[in-house]
């Protein structure tokens, strides 16, 4: 067990030694602390000085990381080893952003030419749609895209689409439909015109219940107007690994943008799953997004652990979760266009590392992924920050700020930045001098937080930011000895929902547990009386 390792035990002992230190005092002891706990990478800065750690803590954390073979395992991922051992798959989202002249082999074959052929296909298609060479069935230009997908086939492209909204204005708007709740697709279709709408069916497996139900609904809606199956070809495209299933749905081979099983769902925005970004903002923007992620890949792969951003964030996460025993983690972007960032990160982190069985099949005796949540500042300040400042649970936070913005409305962007710095400071410092007789006004501070500052948020920086978190999560999987790349925990609910679907459609409700039977009877009764 990891917890028996001398490096882990050294961290436990060190925690006992320093647990009563206040971060405020660490700043007093070392006036250079602000510069000492800082990493910069072309337009991105990580300040991790406001954490309950000392130089010795970091040294011990690095020693633990090395004892886990982090550097060797990092190389295994980049070079295509089948590190997703429960599915016998390589993990190569990093290959999707690798330059053309790289060589990355899977089962002895260099996959880079395949990736670049796919990118060329996306580039050509984006050019034709944006330039009007490809039109709808009545010859009108496409103005509207509906991306139907869920999980990684939705959250990554949706978040990036929103984040880049101002980077390269286009006449094409994208709407994302994910939920099986019929309200989602119905509302999207209500605003759509069949003559000018392109449907993207995004699904790695092309079997996902929600996506297939919404895709069929969209197809039926489209055919109501187009009245001819032949027109589907102009309006439906698929992004998938499952070519046979796409063809049986009725999508023409030329309209398939394939990718491979070594791209995990939650890491798939870099594959053809990101096509909506290229269609909305142009292929050059998508390329810049990939280049930014590649820059972070290179940093992660080559920077020493001591100056490595993803490694640093991962080790701090280990410190919070396993030594300080903090169970939650907040991500707080002070940037409205990162509205969906926390939702994207929830899947990335919690689906990757929400595991309790280690790589040898044993139940872990230590905690793994925390619960991730978040909201853009300053909205969160007026919602849940009360708990962050004075609640009984300590919640480590990542603040994300963007220094320059193109919106110029009075001094609102300066206000945003002021709020960002103020919150980070208040959490760390608290109120050093308590108000006499008014304990409810006291702030203890000592609440750990990181500050990630971006010069600006363009496609390249967004790619870099997302890859930062991807690698953080990979590192934590190594530190916890778990497989970050499978997601068996989502299977049971999927199987049960199919069984219960039958029970809902038939009046016999004798199977299932007592609670489920009672609920089914209640639903049947209500449906019968309406
Ligand atoms: O929720 C499980 C999951 O498999 C995710 O990992 C994935 O992103 C999502 O479903 C969607 O899967 P697909 O792209 O195959 O439709």
């Amino acid at each position: 067990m990891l917890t028996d390792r001398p490096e882990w035990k050294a961290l436990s002992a060190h925690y006992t030694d320093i647990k009563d230190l206040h971060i405020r005092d660490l700043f007093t002891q070392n006036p250079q602390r602000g510069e000492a706990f800082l990493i910069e990478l072309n337009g991105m800065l990580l300040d991790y000085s406001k954490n309950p750690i000392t130089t010795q803590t970091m040294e011990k954390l690095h020693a633990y990381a090395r004892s886990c073979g982090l550097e060797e395992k990092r190389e295994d991922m980049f070079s295509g080893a089948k590190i997703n051992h429960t599915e016998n798959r390589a993990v190569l989202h990093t290959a999707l952003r690798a330059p053309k002249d790289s060589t990355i082999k899977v089962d002895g074959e260099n996959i880079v030419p395949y990736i670049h052929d796919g990118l060329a296909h996306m580039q050509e298609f984006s050019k034709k749609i944006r330039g009007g060479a490809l039109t709808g069935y009545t010859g009108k230009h496409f103005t509207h895209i509906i991306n139907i997908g869920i999980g990684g086939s939705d959250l990554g492209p949706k978040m990036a689409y929103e984040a880049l909204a101002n980077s390269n204005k286009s006449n094409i708007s994208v709407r994302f439909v994910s939920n099986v709740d019929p309200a989602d697709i119905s509302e999207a279709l209500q605003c759509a015109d069949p003559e000018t709408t392109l449907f993207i069916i995004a699904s790695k497996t092309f079997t996902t219940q929600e996506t297939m139900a919404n895709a069929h609904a969209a197809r039926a809606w489209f055919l109501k107007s187009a009245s001819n199956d032949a027109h589907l070809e102009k309006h439906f495209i698929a992004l998938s690994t499952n070519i046979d299933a796409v063809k049986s749905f009725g999508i023409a081979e030329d309209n398939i943008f394939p990718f491979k099983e070594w791209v995990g769902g939650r890491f798939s925005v870099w594959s053809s799953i990101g096509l909506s970004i290229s269609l909305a903002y142009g292929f050059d923007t998508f390329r810049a997004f990939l280049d930014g992620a590649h820059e972070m890949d290179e940093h992660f792969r080559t920077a020493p652990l001591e100056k490595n951003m993803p490694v640093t964030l991962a080790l701090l996460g280990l410190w919070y979760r396993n030594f300080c025993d903090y169970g939650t983690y907040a991500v707080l972007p002070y940037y409205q266009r990162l509205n969906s960032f926390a939702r994207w990160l929830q899947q990335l982190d919690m689906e990757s590392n929400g595991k309790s069985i280690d790589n040898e099949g044993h139940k872990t005796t230590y905690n793994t992924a925390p619960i991730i949540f978040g909201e853009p500042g300053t909205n969160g300040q007026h919602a849940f920050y009360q708990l962050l400042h004075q609640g009984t649970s300590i919640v480590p936070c990542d603040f994300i700020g963007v220094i320059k913005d193109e919106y110029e409305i009075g001094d609102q962007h300066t206000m945003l930045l002021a709020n960002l710095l103020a919150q980070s400071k208040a959490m760390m410092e608290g109120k050093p001098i308590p108000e006499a007789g008014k304990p409810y006004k006291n702030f203890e501070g000592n609440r750990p937080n990181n500050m990630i500052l971006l010069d600006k948020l363009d496609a390249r920086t967004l790619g870099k930011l997302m890859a930062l978190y991807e690698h953080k999560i990979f590192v934590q999987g190594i530190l916890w000895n778990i497989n970050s790349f499978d997601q068996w925990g989502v299977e049971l609910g999927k199987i049960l929902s199919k069984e219960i679907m039958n029970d809902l459609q038939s009046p016999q409700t004798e199977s299932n547990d007592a609670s489920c039977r009672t609920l089914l009877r209640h639903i049947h009764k209500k449906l019968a009386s309406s």
Side-chain angles (χ1 to χ4, degrees):
M1 268 295 157
L2 299 179
T3 46
D4 296 330
R5 292 226 186 112
E7 292 82 0
W8 184 288
K9 287 188 175 160
L11 280 162
S12 292
H14 175 67
Y15 175 71
T16 312
D17 290 345
I18 69 159
K19 69 179 174 23
D20 297 325
L21 289 177
H22 197 293
I23 311 170
R24 203 168 51 213
D25 298 330
L26 295 171
F27 275 94
T28 316
Q29 285 162 19
N30 176 10
Q32 312 306 323
R33 187 177 169 87
E35 286 110 65
F37 294 90
L38 198 83
I39 305 178
E40 249 189 292
L41 177 68
N42 301 330
M44 181 184 273
L45 175 145
L46 167 66
D47 165 15
Y48 61 103
S49 60
K50 297 194 199 84
N51 278 296
I53 51 153
T54 63
T55 313
Q56 288 73 37
T57 320
M58 291 313 295
E59 283 168 8
K60 288 179 194 312
L61 285 167
H62 291 129
Y64 175 68
R66 290 202 166 92
S67 80
C68 296
L70 173 61
E71 284 142 317
E72 299 77 31
K73 289 177 180 164
R74 176 179 61 185
E75 216 33 50
D76 286 347
M77 175 176 73
F78 278 102
S79 57
K82 296 197 175 172
I83 60 171
N84 175 359
H85 60 89
T86 62
E87 297 179 302
N88 193 29
R89 287 178 186 166
V91 173
L92 278 173
H93 46 281
T94 50
L96 298 168
R97 48 228 194 185
K100 219 175 183 163
D101 56 1
S102 347
T103 303
I104 302 162
K105 289 188 178 171
V106 174
D107 296 326
E109 198 186 321
N110 182 15
I111 55 169
V112 177
Y114 167 84
I115 292 167
H116 282 265
D117 286 352
L119 287 169
H121 187 196
M122 286 170 75
Q123 181 171 22
E124 191 198 334
F125 186 74
S126 305
K127 201 169 155 203
K128 286 184 178 160
I129 294 282
R130 290 165 62 81
L134 286 177
T135 63
Y137 70 102
T138 57
K140 289 190 185 166
H141 287 195
F142 288 109
T143 55
H144 207 71
I145 291 169
I146 298 186
N147 186 92
I148 298 178
I150 197 164
S153 302
D154 169 73
L155 294 163
K158 181 176 192 295
M159 188 271 279
Y161 173 73
E162 290 171 5
L164 300 176
N166 246 23
S167 61
N168 187 1
K169 295 215 173 64
S170 79
N171 297 327
I172 299 180
S173 67
V174 187
R175 175 144 186 167
F176 291 83
V177 170
S178 54
N179 202 333
V180 78
D181 184 332
D184 203 4
I185 185 76
S186 306
E187 282 165 20
L189 294 176
Q190 261 165 33
C191 313
D193 174 352
E195 294 178 48
T196 56
T197 302
L198 178 71
F199 290 94
I200 298 181
I201 317 301
S203 174
K204 178 175 172 178
T205 55
F206 225 75
T207 55
T208 304
Q209 186 194 49
E210 295 90 333
T211 301
M212 297 326 297
N214 283 325
H216 282 285
R219 190 178 189 274
W221 173 87
F222 173 77
L223 285 175
K224 247 195 216 163
S225 313
S227 320
N228 183 346
D229 280 14
H231 295 324
L232 284 171
E233 206 179 305
K234 285 184 180 276
H235 288 260
F236 279 74
I237 63 168
L239 323 174
S240 186
T241 58
N242 189 350
I243 311 303
D244 290 342
V246 174
K247 284 195 205 152
S248 29
F249 179 84
I251 292 181
E253 193 143 10
D254 282 354
N255 286 355
I256 305 175
F257 293 80
F259 58 103
K260 296 284 187 188
E261 60 170 25
W262 35 257
V263 180
R266 50 195 172 273
F267 301 89
S268 62
V269 65
W270 321 100
S271 71
S272 60
I273 291 289
L275 183 64
S276 52
I277 304 166
S278 174
L279 291 172
Y281 305 126
F283 182 80
D284 289 350
T285 303
F286 187 65
R287 185 65 255 180
F289 176 61
L290 298 180
D291 290 343
H294 178 67
E295 190 185 339
M296 182 54 75
D297 294 342
E298 288 297 287
H299 165 78
F300 173 52
R301 201 173 183 175
T302 59
L305 302 192
E306 289 71 13
K307 280 282 161 202
N308 196 306
M309 273 197 207
V311 172
T312 303
L313 281 183
L315 289 172
L316 291 168
L318 182 87
W319 182 246
Y320 304 143
R321 188 74 187 105
N322 300 99
F323 300 96
C324 307
D325 201 23
Y326 303 149
T328 49
Y329 199 103
V331 58
L332 308 166
Y334 274 62
Y335 203 64
Q336 184 56 32
R337 280 191 256 132
L338 289 176
N339 194 23
S340 295
F341 194 81
R343 239 167 291 137
W344 165 77
L345 189 62
Q346 277 175 330
Q347 186 203 13
L348 191 71
D349 198 321
M350 293 161 82
E351 196 168 83
S352 297
N353 287 341
K355 313 272 165 74
S356 49
I357 300 294
D358 72 14
N359 285 322
E360 282 73 48
H362 303 126
K363 194 149 177 51
T364 61
T365 53
Y366 43 87
N367 286 318
T368 59
I371 296 162
I372 306 282
F373 71 101
E375 188 69 33
T378 58
N379 292 354
Q381 290 176 206
H382 299 272
F384 55 81
Y385 277 37
Q386 164 63 38
L387 184 148
L388 301 187
H389 287 292
Q390 289 186 317
T392 51
S393 296
I394 294 194
V395 184
C397 305
D398 283 356
F399 288 100
I400 301 174
V402 179
I403 299 170
K404 293 181 210 141
D405 195 29
E406 68 273 26
Y407 290 114
E408 281 180 21
I409 300 191
D411 54 4
Q412 282 190 222
H413 189 71
T414 312
M415 266 181 218
L416 183 68
L417 288 175
N419 273 280
L420 164 74
L421 297 178
Q423 292 297 328
S424 163
K425 181 177 162 73
M427 279 186 197
M428 181 276 284
E429 219 168 49
K431 241 179 169 179
I433 304 164
E435 274 195 51
K438 292 183 178 166
Y440 48 86
K441 283 196 164 188
N442 287 345
F443 287 70
E444 285 170 11
N446 214 19
R447 313 237 154 185
N449 65 85
N450 297 306
M451 177 69 71
I452 298 171
L453 281 183
L454 311 175
D455 286 1
K456 57 182 176 177
L457 193 84
D458 56 12
R460 191 177 174 100
T461 325
L462 180 69
K464 214 153 44 167
L465 180 68
M466 290 167 73
L468 166 66
Y469 280 96
E470 286 182 346
H471 294 319
K472 170 196 167 178
I473 287 158
F474 164 77
V475 174
Q476 291 192 322
I478 305 296
L479 303 177
W480 285 321
N481 188 30
I482 53 176
N483 179 3
S484 303
F485 300 105
D486 60 10
Q487 56 283 319
W488 297 104
V490 301
E491 292 305 316
L492 180 62
K494 287 186 192 172
I495 296 165
L496 291 181
S497 84
K498 285 197 185 121
E499 288 171 18
I500 294 176
M501 181 87 178
N502 293 334
D503 294 332
L504 277 168
Q505 285 169 335
S506 85
Q508 298 303 319
T509 59
E510 291 318 310
S511 54
N512 291 307
D513 61 276
S515 160
C516 196
R517 279 202 306 270
T518 311
L519 295 171
L520 281 164
R521 270 193 222 106
H522 180 77
I523 293 171
H524 280 304
K525 205 164 101 193
K526 291 288 169 185
L527 287 174
S529 67
S530 58

